[in-house]
Amino acid sequence: MTSGRTTTTDRPAPATPSRPGDPSPGSGRRLRPALAAAVAVLVVAGAVAGLGGIRPDSTTSTPAGPAAPAPAPAPAAEPAAFAVTPPPGWTAPTAGAPALDVFGVPFARLAEAPPFAAGDCPVGAAPRGVAAAALVAVPAGTTVEQAAQAFARGAGESAYAGSAPQVAVGPPGPRPGSGEPGTWVEATVRTDGTASGAGGCRATDGAVGVLAVPRTQARDGSVGVAMLVVAADAGGGPGDAVPRSALTDLAASAVRPG
């Protein structure tokens, strides 16, 4: 862990690809929910099939001969995904904080914007912002851009679970910052403002960003992708909104840990 940065060493879990959808009026190019779900299923299936094999020397061939005992899971392509510099007001995640589950992939939390406490709202409120990272296996036939769009939708649904989230995903673009390789996708979230059934205890508007950077490629065409997902309250809650710049600041600060 480098000074001022938080890292994750979680190995990637199955992921699922998503296809960009048709444009919707007034919102630019959006990813339809049905297409996003289909892509997600593909990514997850691909990851389940061979996430551990996302290495330069990986192969899908099977030697002839009698069946052998199932080998131990192969190591992930990279020991860690990203290190980030938390923006002002963000802190390291609380000890023992569970991973952010997106399509069955456990994203290790790197930083959080502390939750707000208001009136009779439930104890243990979700943080106003979360940044998490994982290594994801993207199967052949699915682009990194499609996978990033699918995970933007999934991250919004996961971060705001229990609040009837409705996610609108935008088109892929270059990563924020100094022009280093990577794909950046943003999404917006609308919720019903409830937390554990209590109204007015959750932001009604959220923002999501996903940074996807290819790391390795296997002989079968699958790609090991480092993903950073960031979700933050944009407005409508009992607490202050998180500046939208926090999402791009986190993405711009993301580097290989070391």
Side-chain angles (χ1 to χ4, degrees):
M1 184 165 107
T2 57
S3 177
R5 297 182 183 278
T6 310
T7 64
T8 173
T9 56
D10 281 17
R11 295 180 180 176
T16 63
S18 66
R19 306 170 186 170
D22 300 329
S24 59
S27 60
R29 192 180 179 191
R30 298 289 183 182
L31 189 68
R32 286 182 173 177
L35 293 179
V39 175
V41 169
L42 291 176
V43 173
V44 170
V48 171
L51 179 60
I54 301 298
R55 295 178 295 172
D57 62 345
S58 63
T59 175
T60 57
S61 62
T62 303
E78 298 286 345
F82 286 114
V84 299
T85 300
W90 289 60
T91 64
T94 56
L100 181 68
D101 185 290
V102 183
F103 297 138
V105 178
F107 280 72
R109 295 172 187 257
L110 304 180
E112 295 180 344
F116 45 69
D120 298 325
C121 290
V123 176
R128 290 178 299 126
V130 59
L135 292 167
V136 177
V138 176
T142 299
T143 67
V144 173
E145 292 79 8
Q146 288 174 325
Q149 287 185 296
F151 274 82
R153 179 176 297 282
E157 293 172 344
S158 180
Y160 291 91
S163 300
Q166 299 180 26
V167 186
V169 181
R175 69 178 292 176
S178 59
E180 294 184 9
T183 296
W184 176 249
V185 172
E186 293 188 353
T188 58
V189 184
R190 288 284 296 174
T191 80
D192 61 7
T194 64
S196 300
C201 292
R202 197 74 198 269
T204 57
D205 295 276
V208 173
V210 172
L211 173 64
V213 179
R215 290 278 176 85
T216 58
Q217 183 166 5
R219 292 179 182 176
D220 65 357
S222 55
V223 178
V225 178
M227 281 195 185
L228 171 73
V229 299
V230 186
D233 294 352
D240 294 334
V242 175
R244 197 177 185 91
S245 60
L247 278 67
T248 52
D249 288 346
L250 282 158
S253 77
V255 296
R256 285 176 181 258

